[in-house]
Amino acid sequence: MPSKVEIDRHLNILLEYQHPSGGFPASPTFPPYRYCWFRDGSFTAHALELYGKHEAAHRFHQWCVDTILRHAHLLESTRDTILRGDLLKPEECFPCRFSLDGQPLQDGWGNHQLDGLGTWLWAVSDHLERSPCTPPAEWQHARALTASFLQALWRFPCYDCWEEHPHDLHTYSLAAAYGGLQAHGRTQKDPASTAAAGEIHSYVLKHGVVNGRLAKRFGSEEIDASLLGAALPFGLLDPASVIMTRTLQTIEDQLTSPSGGVHRYQADTYYGGGEWILLTAWKGWLHARRGELDQALQALAWVQGSVDANGYLPEQTSRHLLAPDFLPRWEQQWGSSASPLLWSHSMALILKYNLLRVQEDTGRSWSNG
Ligand code: BGC
């Protein structure tokens, strides 16, 4: 089972790299990732929250509130442009990532990504439920703006969580929008958010299911490991439901390497298409929730086996590559794969937390796997 020493090491890495502004760099040492993404940061804040680091989580959410309110005009221009059917210009688009002091970057990044804000709306609602306090009025304002942005735009294409395919509708992005709106609707008693979440749920079941399991994007049969998120944390599907069971099985069959590491999707060429730490932990989290403890422990052992001599977890490993010819060109462009990747450490912590809860609930103890 996860030891306290291992848990503290992951926690210390997250805490050490939190910027004084409250933002988290996706990776502090990998230049293209020295920015704060709503997606990565929200999972990091959630992991800290689970281990009682409420103040650090709170500071991240304050960073999000400040950033959203400072750039609310970009939420408006993104929404209005898309609703008019016009092409979104980079300077009009609300970014998926900001500098650590909350400034947008004009560098041509694929910015319009709904899942990041959906994840934040879910994470901030969860934070306020776990650490009840009366948040300042500005928090309510930022949450309401985010909810209404998601309500207006979920039916329109955006970049997916891997920052690709801007012309498609993505099941994971919809699941994240669902998770955010559902949590907001429930905690804020906001019927418009609850209604939009209900519509997203029906829409995904109608268009996002192929062969009895979820598909990466509408109109395609491709599988993608991010679909794990439809169950956890976003709750679009029950972890034990038939569709989720088939989705998990397809991820096992098509995206899990013989060593147990999980790839993003079969056509992945980024850094040669390696096994992602965070996805392997995510799969373990779902197994733990489904009561499949051996598989959850195997995922944990795989993740722990990927920790380097500095205690860092990278974004991906190059042990089993789907497209090895592509690795050198990425290494020439940006150097080795990002490490530490804070999202990898966060998912490792979330998996460990869930395994500890199962242990408490069942009274079962395990040797360190
Ligand atoms: C991934 C994103 C992630 C970003 C920062 C990108 O390569 O596709 O999902 O948010 O890195 O970690």
Side-chain angles (χ1 to χ4, degrees), residues 2 30 48 67 94 143 145 153 164 171 221 248 274 321 325:
F30 185 70
L48 289 166
T67 304
F94 187 83
R143 293 166 78 195
L145 283 179
L153 292 187
E164 296 170 334
T171 306
E221 293 199 1
L248 177 58
L321 295 176
D325 293 352

Side-chain angles (χ1 to χ4, degrees), residues 128-308:
L128 291 171
E129 282 191 310
R130 284 175 197 269
S131 323
C133 67
T134 310
E138 69 202 39
W139 280 45
Q140 310 300 64
H141 187 202
R143 293 166 78 195
L145 283 179
T146 304
S148 96
F149 182 75
L150 293 170
Q151 286 165 26
L153 292 187
W154 67 264
R155 287 175 192 277
F156 295 88
C158 65
Y159 281 91
D160 67 15
C161 64
W162 310 131
E163 320 197 297
E164 296 170 334
H165 305 296
H167 305 299
D168 290 317
L169 283 165
H170 314 284
T171 306
Y172 176 82
S173 306
L174 287 165
Y178 168 90
L181 288 168
Q182 207 276 341
H184 185 73
R186 181 172 48 76
T187 57
Q188 294 297 289
K189 312 213 178 341
D190 172 28
S193 289
T194 304
E199 285 180 58
I200 296 174
H201 184 263
S202 313
Y203 200 68
V204 169
L205 290 185
K206 190 160 174 210
H207 302 286
V209 179
V210 176
N211 303 329
R213 51 123 179 120
L214 294 174
K216 174 185 173 88
R217 48 190 162 135
F218 290 12
S220 143
E221 293 199 1
E222 227 181 324
I223 185 77
D224 190 297
S226 66
L227 293 168
L228 296 163
L232 295 172
F234 301 125
L236 180 84
L237 293 178
D238 188 281
S241 63
V242 175
I243 297 178
M244 211 53 227
T245 302
R246 291 199 180 140
T247 305
L248 177 58
Q249 190 56 52
T250 313
I251 291 169
E252 297 280 8
D253 296 345
Q254 298 188 20
L255 296 177
T256 307
S257 80
S259 76
V262 178
H263 298 280
R264 295 194 296 178
Y265 54 91
Q266 281 183 323
D268 193 6
T269 59
Y270 182 54
Y271 276 85
E275 304 151 293
W276 281 52
I277 312 300
L278 72 95
L279 291 172
T280 309
W282 209 328
K283 186 157 80 70
W285 178 14
L286 185 54
H287 281 306
R289 259 320 159 80
R290 289 165 54 92
E292 295 159 351
L293 300 182
D294 292 340
Q295 289 99 315
L297 285 166
Q298 277 163 21
L300 177 64
W302 188 94
V303 168
Q304 276 310 129
S306 305
V307 173
D308 74 10

